[in-house]
């Protein structure tokens, strides 16, 4: 598990890119925190720079969308999921589990 950022640094509706073993995007969706691989599986674009709506992030490059809860693609052109990571909060700090959860 590693420290991502302070909860106060990630207000609702915002996201942040964290440099880890692979880049990870952390999202605050109405107080719920989600972490996924930051790189879109369709093309090399940062999902942290995308648009979030209804617990989905839309890639800023070609509008591929991913469910933040599962990592599954919600629409073309992406066909492969992104990995998700368990998130924990302790003492106002967001921590990301290093073991990704992959969808089969």
């Amino acid at each position: 598990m590693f420290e991502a950022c302070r909860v106060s640094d990630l207000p609702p509706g915002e996201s942040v890119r964290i440099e880890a073993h692979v880049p990870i995007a952390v999202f605050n969706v109405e107080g719920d925190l989600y972490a996924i691989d930051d790189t879109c599986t369709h093309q090399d674009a940062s999902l942290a720079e995308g648009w979030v709506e209804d617990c989905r992030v839309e890639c800023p490059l070609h509008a591929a969308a991913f469910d933040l809860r599962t990592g599954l693609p919600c629409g073309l052109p992406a066909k492969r999921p992104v990995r998700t990571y368990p998130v924990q909060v302790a003492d106002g700090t967001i921590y990301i589990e290093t073991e990704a959860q992959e969808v089969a």
Side-chain angles (χ1 to χ4, degrees):
M1 185 178 327
F2 67 92
E3 183 177 326
C5 63
R6 302 282 303 161
V7 173
S8 59
D9 294 334
L10 189 62
E14 297 294 321
S15 60
V16 65
R17 177 184 168 110
I18 305 295
E19 294 300 330
H21 60 290
V22 296
I24 295 174
V26 183
F27 299 86
N28 183 336
V29 180
E30 299 178 16
D32 293 324
L33 301 170
Y34 302 95
I36 63 172
D37 279 343
D38 185 51
T39 306
C40 179
T41 58
H42 172 249
Q43 280 197 329
D44 196 21
S46 172
L47 294 174
E49 296 176 9
W51 300 274
V52 177
E53 187 175 339
D54 297 328
C55 214
R56 294 185 316 192
V57 62
E58 182 179 300
C59 177
L61 194 56
H62 292 115
F66 300 90
D67 187 307
L68 293 173
R69 297 164 293 204
T70 64
L72 290 171
C74 303
L76 297 173
K79 296 179 182 176
R80 292 177 298 140
V82 291
R83 292 176 295 194
T84 61
Y85 299 85
V87 177
Q88 294 183 15
V89 176
D91 298 322
T93 301
I94 299 170
Y95 294 93
I96 308 299
E97 295 271 344
T98 55
E99 293 295 320
Q101 298 176 351
E102 297 191 42
V103 178

